[in-house]
Amino acid sequence: MSKVPIRLTVNEREVEVWVGPNQTLLEVLREDVGATEVKYGCGEGICGTCAVLLDGESVNSCLMYAVQVDGAAITTLKGLAGDDMPLHPLQERFLEHGASQCGFCTPGMVLTAFEFVRDHPDPSRDDIRAALAGNLCRCTGYTKIVDAVEAYTRDQQASTP
Amino acid sequence: MYASPFEYATASSWEEAVRILAEAGDDATVIAGGQSLVPMMTLRLATPGMLVDVNRASSESIWLDDGRLVIPALTRHADLQRSPLVLRLSPILSEAAGFIGNVRVRHRGTVGGSLAHADPAAELPTVAVALRGSVDVRGPAGERTIPAADFFVSHFTTALEQAEVVTSVSVPVLPEGHGWAFVELARRVGDFALVEAAALVDLDEDGRRCSGVRLALGGVGERPFDASHLAATMIGADLNEDTVVDAARAVSEEVEPPSGVHGSGEYRRKMAGVVTKRALLAAIRRARRPEGEASG
């Protein structure tokens, strides 16, 4: 079983990597692309720490083989903020609300919340909780995370013409 | 842990998928969404020598065909969940899909994959049996259609022969105004179901008597359990909570769920009655008030 080259665009940067078929997208992102902000939590798709956006849609990178996504555009947490701002507004709200303690769940949590609010601009608190049901946090007890996402949705609504 | 090495092939049509599978023999497995397969491979519970990636084998959308709703195998659970056609014509499918895993699992997991995987606790097999769906299959000998009741044979075992693939599943469109509900009991959101019930109810014009009922349970045995005959006492009867309770008790007495880490057989047996009751009551409520009950 030999390696094959695949091309990925990661946070708008094009990369070419050589991968074996049994290497997951998660492994390739962390080891070959250097995107260590994508975390390995469970390896089974349950915990949400490996979440990335694949062509704009969140997926479990631990459950995809890199060979399957040749040509895809991947967005990680580091791709949320543009080049001209240090942090994305959602990240600012996380900081402000104390929604991150050890930080391990944070990349996946922020990406999931980002996608959710992008697609559901006016969620209730219960909607937010349901949307984050696939992202486990062992530290915060979730309340401050929901607070942060709620504050972010208000930001988004305020800035939407 | 990581998967043992494998050859990787892609199929750009169902015909090609079948051809590759037939040539490769038993050592080859189909990968679609991978949300059930890849965890098994990571844990080395499955060690296929070849994966045949079918994600590009077809790009069909859900369509209506002479009174039947046809759902292509590669339909992602998230798309099933929000399909306007499904919400209008067979909303129980949307409700059930919402219980599958988490949002990321639903973005990749496919209807065909869920049916072919045949987890006894899975949502879509249970609903397929409740709806009397039919599974369309293609293999080296051609195409055939298998009723859902016959498709699910045992744990993770279907009627698929070697080199056969699921290409779509079709369900009859039920009369407008029919009642429907899918109820799942799990320890946490996204966990595998302990028990689940899919109920469909038709009421007569007055909305007082039941003219038809379909009921299926998942998580109570090796495959979905068609319990419609146990709810048949509801047909023709004035519908009240007692008729539903009788049906729920009959279900609870009939099933013999296995014990497991997350629940004893006795607990599951009791809960089978609970989810049956909740599903039937919710379906009746929806049948009595068809407008405004699109979800929840």
Side-chain angles (χ1 to χ4, degrees):
Chain A
M1 184 193 66
S2 49
K3 296 205 173 194
V4 294
I6 65 165
R7 278 208 167 83
L8 297 173
T9 306
V10 182
N11 299 332
E12 300 186 351
R13 186 170 63 94
E14 281 185 24
V15 296
E16 186 188 82
V17 286
W18 287 72
V19 302
N22 65 343
Q23 287 187 272
T24 61
L25 176 60
L26 171 61
E27 180 187 336
V28 168
L29 284 173
R30 287 183 57 80
E31 315 260 331
D32 298 298
V33 177
T36 53
E37 67 273 22
V38 187
K39 306 299 185 188
Y40 184 108
C42 70
E44 296 175 37
I46 302 172
C47 72
T49 63
C50 75
V52 295
L53 301 184
L54 174 76
D55 296 331
E57 189 177 64
S58 63
V59 296
N60 293 309
S61 62
C62 71
L63 296 187
M64 303 198 69
Y65 294 115
V67 285
Q68 293 183 281
V69 297
D70 186 17
I74 310 283
T75 308
T76 75
L77 177 65
K78 290 193 180 177
L80 277 198
D83 282 338
D84 58 345
M85 46 176 165
L87 290 178
H88 187 273
L90 179 53
Q91 287 174 293
E92 297 275 6
R93 288 303 188 180
F94 264 62
L95 283 178
E96 194 180 286
H97 287 267
S100 188
Q101 290 183 25
C102 79
F104 200 82
C105 77
T106 305
M109 192 71 75
V110 171
L111 271 177
T112 301
F114 166 78
E115 178 192 50
F116 175 68
V117 178
R118 180 194 72 194
D119 298 340
H120 305 86
D122 191 19
S124 68
R125 209 170 157 85
D126 276 350
D127 292 335
I128 295 169
R129 291 169 61 88
L132 298 179
N135 291 76
L136 304 180
C137 173
R138 298 294 283 139
C139 297
T140 66
Y142 301 101
T143 301
K144 294 179 182 191
I145 293 174
V146 178
D147 290 345
V149 177
E150 207 175 24
Y152 172 68
T153 66
R154 285 195 297 267
D155 296 341
Q156 293 299 102
Q157 285 163 12
S159 68
T160 307
Chain B
M1 290 177 69
Y2 54 90
S4 58
F6 52 85
E7 300 286 320
Y8 176 74
T10 54
S12 49
S13 68
W14 291 125
E15 292 84 351
E16 192 180 359
V18 169
R19 200 167 55 242
I20 299 172
L21 287 167
E23 265 176 43
D26 281 336
D27 205 25
T29 296
V30 168
I31 183 167
Q35 304 300 291
S36 293
L37 177 64
V38 179
M40 288 172 66
M41 290 175 65
T42 300
L43 294 170
R44 302 257 172 143
L45 296 173
T47 53
M50 172 186 277
L51 285 190
V52 182
D53 189 327
V54 296
N55 284 286
R56 293 197 173 88
S58 160
S59 56
E60 296 173 313
S61 307
I62 300 171
W63 83 93
L64 192 54
D65 181 27
D66 195 25
R68 295 187 75 82
L69 197 59
V70 185
I71 298 148
L74 291 172
T75 305
R76 309 286 171 181
H77 299 314
D79 293 329
L80 181 71
Q81 196 182 356
R82 57 193 173 211
S83 154
L85 211 47
V86 171
L87 286 167
R88 185 164 56 89
L89 299 176
S90 194
I92 192 175
L93 284 165
S94 170
E95 183 160 62
F99 283 97
I100 299 175
N102 55 53
V103 60
R104 295 174 307 280
V105 169
R106 295 192 290 273
H107 281 160
R108 293 292 302 172
T110 66
V111 172
S114 176
L115 297 177
H117 185 59
D119 185 323
E123 292 80 359
L124 295 184
T126 303
V127 175
V129 168
L131 285 170
R132 286 207 185 101
S134 300
V135 183
D136 303 308
V137 165
R138 180 188 288 256
E143 295 178 283
R144 60 187 181 121
T145 296
I146 308 170
D150 301 327
F151 183 76
F152 304 104
V153 172
S154 182
H155 315 270
F156 309 103
T157 311
T158 67
L160 288 174
E161 309 268 353
Q162 205 273 320
E164 279 189 320
V165 293
V166 175
T167 54
S168 56
V169 59
S170 71
V171 296
V173 174
L174 298 177
E176 200 176 323
H178 73 271
W180 52 274
F182 183 87
V183 174
E184 175 168 324
L185 178 70
R187 292 189 66 197
R188 296 162 304 190
V189 171
D191 277 0
F192 289 103
L194 289 171
V195 281
E196 61 216 325
L200 298 135
V201 164
D202 274 320
L203 303 187
D204 66 10
E205 307 92 57
D206 297 331
R208 282 184 54 217
R209 286 174 202 266
C210 170
S211 52
V213 62
R214 292 282 307 159
L215 176 68
L217 275 88
V220 295
E222 297 176 348
R223 58 194 197 127
F225 173 56
D226 187 340
S228 305
H229 58 290
L230 297 175
T233 47
M234 287 169 53
I235 298 175
D238 239 9
L239 275 180
N240 53 49
E241 189 157 323
D242 286 337
T243 38
V244 168
V245 164
D246 287 342
R249 183 184 311 117
V251 166
S252 188
E253 285 168 0
E254 177 73 21
V255 297
E256 286 179 8
S259 285
V261 172
H262 296 296
S264 69
E266 200 44 44
Y267 174 69
R268 288 179 198 237
R269 173 201 284 276
K270 201 159 179 193
M271 292 304 109
V274 171
V275 294
T276 296
K277 178 181 167 186
R278 289 184 187 180
L280 287 170
L281 286 176
I284 291 166
R285 240 186 346 260
R286 282 200 175 106
R288 285 186 170 145
R289 272 195 324 209
E291 336 70 40
E293 290 264 10
S295 67

